[in-house]
């Protein structure tokens, strides 16, 4: 199974160009400790990564961060991706992007733009992201994207402080002429794990949002594609981790570490290879981190004997780590996990509390936030 899985090239690659970002969203899934600017890959190193990805047969590159437009060499990176035959998607907060720069990026070969909206209500959005004037700038950039003939995705990160506006997000995407809307319920690891008390919606709110999306999908068929990432804390079946760990996706950090998923660094037992030291193909095929949870041989019970083990692959390894202190455990989102009841109870208890204020990403908040982080459901074995 392992050899068969890694013999196929990953379909997509997330290139985190930088952890610099003008926003301070309390649900950010980047690591608690961000990479410093002086440790970021150089232009030449990112160009090499794009060439290697094309040679491997990777089809898509998602340019993210932080905020990817903080890189002054973004144009060169997009040119390299285009020359390597990669379909490029710019994932941006859009607040620092000017029209002439966007036009240049399109000329360099940019294929798609994805803009995150912290809310459709401007005042609330700017409180969530801690950036005044963000909403109007995002709207302007979204319209430029459509004017230039590029596909637009509206990204809607959903949590208790904006879940009441799911319907308005759908209306906004249609109004802007977006091809795709991603209703992405926040997943609780990284910075979002520290802010759970401010973010977890009630079960009833979650169900209402799902019903709203399902109805809109039927109503807007052929007009708008709506993808939805549901919150794991209220699930009964786990989602396959990135379609299966090391199966179809890889992530490059700003410093060049190659990860099987965006949050994999939250698993302290794993060591990650770097593109500065090892070729991308070699890492994909032979890295200990990629092979750690590939296939099904690593599984414990109840996953090992489960009929769904080659469908959901045990769920999210990072969530298993965060909630049970052991990444080999069944994702607690699964009803068969011995920790599932505790996970649901935790979510309902957090959602029943008055929403706390966000702990924002700035140096004064980091130490205090880390001290108040929730403990796992169970101690490490």
């Amino acid at each position: 199974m392992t050899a068969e899985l890694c013999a196929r090239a990953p379909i997509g690659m997330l290139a985190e160009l930088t952890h610099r970002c003008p926003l301070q969203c309390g649900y950010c899934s980047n690591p608690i400790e961000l990479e410093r600017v002086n440790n970021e890959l150089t232009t030449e190193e990112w160009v090499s990564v794009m060439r290697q990805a094309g040679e491997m047969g990777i089809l898509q590159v998602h340019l993210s961060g932080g905020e990817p437009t903080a890189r002054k060499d973004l144009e060169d990176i997009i040119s390299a991706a285009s020359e390597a035959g990669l379909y490029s998607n710019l994932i941006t907060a859009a607040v620092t992007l000017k029209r002439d720069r966007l036009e240049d990026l399109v000329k360099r070969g940019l294929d798609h733009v994805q803009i995150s909206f912290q809310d459709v209500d401007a005042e609330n959005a700017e409180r969530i992201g801690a950036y005044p004037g963000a909403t109007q700038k995002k709207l302007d950039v979204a319209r430029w994207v459509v004017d230039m003939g590029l596909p637009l995705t509206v990204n809607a990160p959903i949590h208790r402080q904006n879940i009441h506006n799911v319907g308005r997000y759908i209306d906004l995407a249609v109004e802007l002429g977006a091809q795709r809307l991603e209703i992405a319920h926040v997943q609780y690891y990284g910075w979002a794990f520290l802010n759970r008390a401010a973010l977890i919606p009630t079960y009833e709110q979650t169900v209402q949002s799902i019903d709203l999306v399902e109805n809109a999908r039927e109503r807007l068929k052929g007009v708008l594609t709506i993808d939805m990432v549901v919150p794991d804390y209220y699930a009964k079946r786990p989602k396959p981790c990135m379609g299966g760990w090391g199966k179809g996706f890889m992530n490059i950090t700003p410093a060049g570490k190659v990860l099987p998923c965006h949050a994999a660094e939250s698993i302290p037992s794993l060591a990650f290879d770097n593109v500065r030291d090892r070729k991308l193909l070699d890492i994909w095929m032979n890295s200990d981190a990629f092979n750690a949870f590939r296939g099904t041989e690593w599984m414990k019970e109840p996953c090992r004997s489960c009929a769904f083990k080659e469908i959901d692959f045990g769920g999210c390894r990072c969530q298993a780590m965060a909630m049970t202190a052991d990444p080999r455990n069944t994702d607690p989102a699964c009803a068969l996990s011995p920790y599932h009841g505790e996970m649901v109870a935790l979510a309902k208890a957090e959602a029943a509390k008055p929403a706390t204020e966000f702990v924002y990403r700035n140096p004064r908040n980091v130490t205090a936030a880390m001290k108040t982080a929730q403990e796992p459901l169970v101690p490490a074995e």
Side-chain angles (χ1 to χ4, degrees), residues 14 25 42 52 99-100 109 143 178 197 249 319 371:
L14 180 65
C25 304
T42 66
Q52 291 181 57
R99 181 165 186 136
D100 58 351
R143 292 182 177 112
F249 180 87
Q319 187 154 259
K371 286 181 179 178

Side-chain angles (χ1 to χ4, degrees), residues 104-119:
D104 191 24
L105 295 175
V106 174
K107 290 176 183 176
R108 300 289 189 117
L110 179 64
D111 294 299
H112 190 115
V113 177
Q114 180 171 328
I115 301 176
S116 61
F117 284 80
Q118 282 60 51
D119 197 356

Side-chain angles (χ1 to χ4, degrees), residues 57-88:
I58 292 175
L59 301 178
Q60 306 166 355
V61 59
H62 304 276
L63 303 165
S64 180
E67 175 49 54
T69 60
R71 294 277 305 217
K72 294 180 180 179
D73 58 355
L74 179 59
E75 288 80 359
D76 295 325
I77 294 170
I78 286 177
S79 291
S82 179
E83 290 166 7
L86 301 170
Y87 182 93
S88 58

